[in-house]
Amino acid sequence: MSTLLLRLAGPLQAWGSSSRFTRRTTDHAPTKSGVLGLLAAAQTARTLDGKAFPLTDRFYLTDAVFVAAVEGDDELVSALDHALRYPVFPLYLGRRSCPPAGPLAFGDGVRNTDLWTALTDLETTPWQAASWWRRKQAPRVDLELRVDAGAVPAASGPVDDPGRRTTTTQRDIPLSFDPRLREYGLRTVVQTFIGIDNPVSHAPRTSVHDPMALLGGA
């Protein structure tokens, strides 16, 4: 079992899981269907129907950077890594107007470990935020993780507070990419956080405020 890491960065990104009709919103993080569609385009998939579409209102994320991970058999993961480096078709981050800024394969791409370990090993998968953004953040930062529920171990390793986990459902498992009838299924997603030190922070350190301190603990 191996894990493929992707670095999804660009001026614009759009990852919609609930868009309907002419209002095309975006989620705050990449969707499973969007990442799988990107990998499919890197290998062989393409759709052409020649139809014109009505004007739509479209929403985007700007200057975002995500690290995404896909777990699978060694041979499959290696093939996907090769496809990202030598894609069959141009790749984009959710929409054709959103080209990536730089290679999509993260470093050497493949980790010989499970998905959870690959995402939480901060020595080999460090925080990817831009340096100007890191300088503006606090000396201690919480990084958000959104992971398939089945990939989250009972012992959460470096996650600071397992009690902060929340579980939601998201309709972004592709059941059919047919443009005439696209279908998506539900998956369970666990949202949690990893606390990391941010040594380049220029933000002032603040003490914890105790509103009861003046009362002497009464």
Side-chain angles (χ1 to χ4, degrees), residues 139-209:
R140 183 77 177 172
V141 178
D142 285 340
L143 300 185
E144 181 183 347
L145 285 179
R146 296 187 183 188
V147 187
D148 278 5
V152 180
S156 56
V159 175
D160 284 348
D161 182 6
R164 295 177 63 193
R165 293 179 183 173
T166 58
T167 302
T168 60
T169 56
Q170 191 163 332
R171 190 177 295 277
D172 65 352
I173 294 182
L175 303 178
S176 170
F177 282 114
D178 187 336
R180 296 166 298 181
L181 181 62
R182 295 190 178 182
E183 295 184 88
Y184 302 91
L186 293 171
R187 69 176 172 123
T188 303
V189 179
V190 172
Q191 177 183 347
T192 188
F193 298 88
I194 297 179
I196 66 168
D197 292 324
N198 180 25
V200 301
S201 172
H202 288 183
R205 292 183 179 272
T206 57
S207 59
V208 177
H209 173 60

Side-chain angles (χ1 to χ4, degrees), residues 13-211:
Q13 300 187 38
W15 308 98
S17 63
S18 59
S19 297
R20 295 292 183 272
F21 308 109
T22 60
R23 184 177 175 82
R24 302 295 181 178
T25 59
T26 178
D27 289 7
H28 293 293
T31 59
K32 190 165 188 174
S33 56
V35 172
L36 292 179
L38 183 153
L39 293 173
Q43 286 192 306
T44 60
R46 188 182 188 188
T47 59
L48 291 173
D49 53 26
K51 293 182 179 179
F53 291 93
L55 293 176
T56 57
D57 293 321
R58 294 174 182 257
F59 297 80
Y60 297 87
L61 302 175
T62 59
D63 296 325
V65 181
F66 299 100
V67 174
V70 179
E71 183 183 276
D73 294 336
D74 297 348
E75 184 176 349
L76 171 62
V77 169
S78 294
L80 291 174
D81 179 56
H82 182 271
L84 285 179
R85 298 173 192 276
Y86 306 96
V88 174
F89 299 108
L91 305 180
Y92 48 86
L93 306 178
R95 295 188 187 130
R96 291 184 180 89
S97 58
C98 303
L104 289 170
F106 185 99
D108 58 7
V110 178
R111 302 284 193 275
N112 295 319
T113 186
D114 62 274
L115 182 147
W116 178 262
T117 302
L119 286 176
T120 56
D121 184 353
L122 296 176
E123 291 187 4
T124 59
T125 311
W127 189 21
Q128 291 299 297
S131 57
W132 66 268
W133 175 258
R134 284 181 279 153
R135 289 193 297 269
K136 293 174 61 176
Q137 305 312 305
R140 183 77 177 172
V141 178
D142 285 340
L143 300 185
E144 181 183 347
L145 285 179
R146 296 187 183 188
V147 187
D148 278 5
V152 180
S156 56
V159 175
D160 284 348
D161 182 6
R164 295 177 63 193
R165 293 179 183 173
T166 58
T167 302
T168 60
T169 56
Q170 191 163 332
R171 190 177 295 277
D172 65 352
I173 294 182
L175 303 178
S176 170
F177 282 114
D178 187 336
R180 296 166 298 181
L181 181 62
R182 295 190 178 182
E183 295 184 88
Y184 302 91
L186 293 171
R187 69 176 172 123
T188 303
V189 179
V190 172
Q191 177 183 347
T192 188
F193 298 88
I194 297 179
I196 66 168
D197 292 324
N198 180 25
V200 301
S201 172
H202 288 183
R205 292 183 179 272
T206 57
S207 59
V208 177
H209 173 60
D210 181 5

